[in-house]
Amino acid sequence: MKNNHVTKLQIDLNAASFNLDYFKSKLQKNTKVLVVVKAFGYGSDAIEIAKHIQNDVSYFAVAYSDEGVALRDAGIQTPILVLHPQIANLQLIIDRCLEPNLYNSIILNKFIELTEAQKLNDYPIHIKFNTGLNRLGFKPNEVNSIAEKVNATNSVKITSIFSHLAASEDKKEYDFNLHQISLFKNLSSEFEKKLDYKPMLHMCNTSGIVNFPEAHFDMVRLGIGLYGFGNENSVTNDLKNVITLKSVISQIHTINKGESVGYNRSFIADTKIKTATIPIGHADGISRKLGNGIGFVSINNQKSFIVGNVCMDMIMVDVTSIDCNAGDEVVIFDNQQTIEELSKNYDTIPYEFITAISQRVKRQITC
Ligand SMILES: *Cc1c(COP(=O)(O)O)cnc(C)c1O
């Protein structure tokens, strides 16, 4: 079905490739790259991104099985790591040639049971260790019991052993990162001694790639960096912007002194102003926290702040000093700095802001 909602998220695939190359330039030649395309490619379009870069990466990762199935349905044949598979989806993972992260003995046992019942051989699995994030993962002292289980069956083979840094972007947590890296080195070398083959090792997300070259191991997991964010300005400035959110003015209003704008009349004019109504609201990903002068858009290259509460489907913005008409273009963001500023204005981070752009907003490929 054609989506004629005028609010559009434009996705610059060439910018994503540029960013991929930027991070590759920080790696040793033989270090592999996994690109994380979970959450619709961080709110962009996982399928278009994956199609565009599939020949330049070794792996994709998604959070949930359905996200991997969507990539397979689109014809992506690259190996896909499912970071958070659920027991109910393990058969689906096998059926669609996805590769599970197995993070505790319950899910490991269940997966071995399934693969044995189907007489599979060497099905690729990934073992995750918890080295301090305390989210998902085996404890470092479980190496022996995992190795025993896996060595006792031909049905699975460990493709990789991995862990995740808790604060790779955080300069004040430098020592904690080093502690995690050293735990990981120890447990993986202990693990390797118990196997007659060598799984890949990986630990770094985007800011890990930048801050911990000594922890690149065999592969890195690039997420937000691909979409143009480096967790610090010096890196972000070197990256290209991938996503641009635009809309169009629906209507202009003159608001006289004493009149209100929007739900609950949270704005009352103390002088005559002019507003523009824009067809984007909290159902599109513009948080209500951006209402009442916290958030802004850009019209004719001028900043125009949100007036009153954000509605589900619309916002009203102050265009008193901007020469504009219904039908004119509105830029919500077209660079990473604006995304960072908007995120900061309501105490969040670009990760949350960009993944919140809802599926109602039409995606448009611009490369
Ligand atoms: C999301 C995720 C990544 C990517 O992190 P970025 O900070 O976006 O690069 C890497 N590894 C795991 C386990 C993740 O969940």
Side-chain angles (χ1 to χ4, degrees):
M1 193 174 63
K2 195 156 159 33
N3 173 350
N4 285 319
H5 189 30
V6 299
T7 302
K8 286 189 280 231
L9 188 74
Q10 298 176 331
I11 301 158
D12 184 344
L13 298 176
N14 289 334
S17 288
F18 176 94
N19 296 339
L20 177 59
D21 287 344
Y22 172 90
F23 286 98
K24 278 187 176 173
S25 76
K26 301 206 169 287
L27 306 176
Q28 305 282 339
K29 250 199 350 279
N30 53 355
T31 307
K32 294 186 164 70
V33 180
L34 170 155
V35 164
V36 182
V37 292
K38 61 191 178 192
F40 300 101
Y42 286 55
S44 65
D45 185 325
I47 289 169
E48 292 297 335
I49 293 272
K51 280 185 179 164
H52 190 69
I53 62 174
Q54 57 187 332
N55 297 323
D56 307 316
V57 303
S58 298
Y59 258 88
F60 288 116
V62 293
Y64 297 109
S65 313
D66 287 0
E67 297 175 313
V69 169
L71 293 176
R72 288 285 182 250
D73 284 345
I76 301 295
Q77 295 184 8
T78 313
I80 299 172
L81 165 59
V82 180
L83 292 166
H84 199 169
Q86 280 149 26
I87 288 189
N89 293 319
L90 292 180
Q91 186 58 47
L92 179 65
I93 285 184
I94 295 171
D95 292 343
R96 304 309 304 271
C97 281
L98 304 170
E99 301 181 13
N101 161 25
L102 301 175
Y103 53 84
N104 67 13
S105 53
I106 299 169
I107 196 162
L108 174 63
N109 292 342
K110 187 73 201 172
F111 197 74
I112 291 176
E113 198 181 293
L114 274 180
T115 49
E116 283 184 340
Q118 290 160 68
K119 304 203 167 23
L120 300 176
N121 242 324
D122 289 349
Y123 197 96
I125 61 171
H126 303 259
I127 301 289
K128 186 172 198 182
F129 282 93
N130 172 20
T131 54
L133 179 59
N134 290 321
R135 191 172 69 173
L136 287 182
F138 284 97
K139 293 194 191 76
N141 68 12
E142 292 179 278
V143 164
N144 273 337
S145 65
I146 307 166
E148 267 169 34
K149 269 179 206 154
V150 171
N151 285 334
T153 179
N154 292 323
S155 69
V156 297
K157 185 168 179 185
I158 302 175
T159 298
S160 84
I161 298 172
F162 73 111
S163 188
H164 196 37
L165 295 168
S168 56
E169 74 276 32
D170 222 337
K171 293 272 186 290
K172 64 180 195 308
E173 295 294 353
Y174 187 73
D175 290 345
F176 190 80
N177 287 300
L178 292 185
H179 165 74
Q180 283 191 275
I181 292 166
S182 121
L183 262 182
F184 182 66
K185 276 187 179 154
N186 291 339
L187 74 86
S188 54
S189 72
E190 200 189 320
F191 208 137
E192 280 169 354
K193 285 184 210 141
K194 310 213 177 291
L195 298 172
D196 56 13
Y197 55 93
K198 201 178 165 312
M200 290 190 290
L201 306 180
H202 49 109
M203 190 161 202
C204 282
N205 67 332
T206 299
S207 37
I209 296 172
V210 175
N211 293 335
F212 298 97
E214 70 273 33
H216 288 175
F217 300 106
D218 301 302
M219 185 160 80
V220 295
R221 302 189 302 271
L222 177 65
I224 199 137
L226 186 89
Y227 309 95
F229 296 87
N231 296 116
E232 57 189 283
N233 291 342
S234 64
V235 178
T236 301
N237 291 341
D238 285 342
L239 299 173
K240 288 201 173 158
N241 186 50
V242 173
I243 52 174
T244 293
L245 183 57
K246 287 185 177 166
S247 191
V248 168
I249 298 175
S250 298
Q251 193 177 9
I252 305 277
H253 289 279
T254 300
I255 310 297
N256 291 311
K257 182 175 173 184
E259 289 182 331
S260 62
V261 176
Y263 284 131
N264 309 102
R265 308 189 66 213
S266 67
F267 175 85
I268 308 241
D270 53 17
T271 169
K272 183 166 138 180
I273 66 160
K274 187 172 70 163
T275 63
T277 302
I278 321 291
I280 187 167
H282 60 74
D284 299 292
I286 302 300
S287 171
R288 281 187 89 250
K289 295 188 180 123
L290 287 167
N292 299 298
I294 307 290
F296 57 87
V297 300
S298 169
I299 297 171
N300 286 336
N301 288 319
Q302 285 172 272
K303 248 186 188 179
S304 167
F305 284 88
I306 299 177
V307 178
N309 286 318
V310 172
C311 310
M312 187 185 293
D313 313 305
M314 281 168 266
I315 50 175
M316 283 70 87
V317 297
D318 185 346
V319 292
T320 309
S321 56
I322 303 176
D323 181 19
C324 59
N325 296 299
D328 286 358
E329 182 177 88
V330 178
V331 174
I332 292 91
F333 55 75
D334 61 359
N335 59 62
Q336 302 101 306
Q337 289 67 31
T338 303
I339 293 170
E340 280 169 353
E341 190 179 345
L342 285 169
S343 307
K344 202 176 263 165
N345 281 4
Y346 74 104
D347 285 332
T348 190
I349 52 176
Y351 290 88
E352 182 179 8
F353 185 73
I354 66 180
T355 56
I357 309 300
S358 81
Q359 293 298 302
R360 184 165 74 178
V361 177
K362 183 180 178 180
R363 269 61 178 169
Q364 186 183 57
I365 303 305
T366 63
C367 86

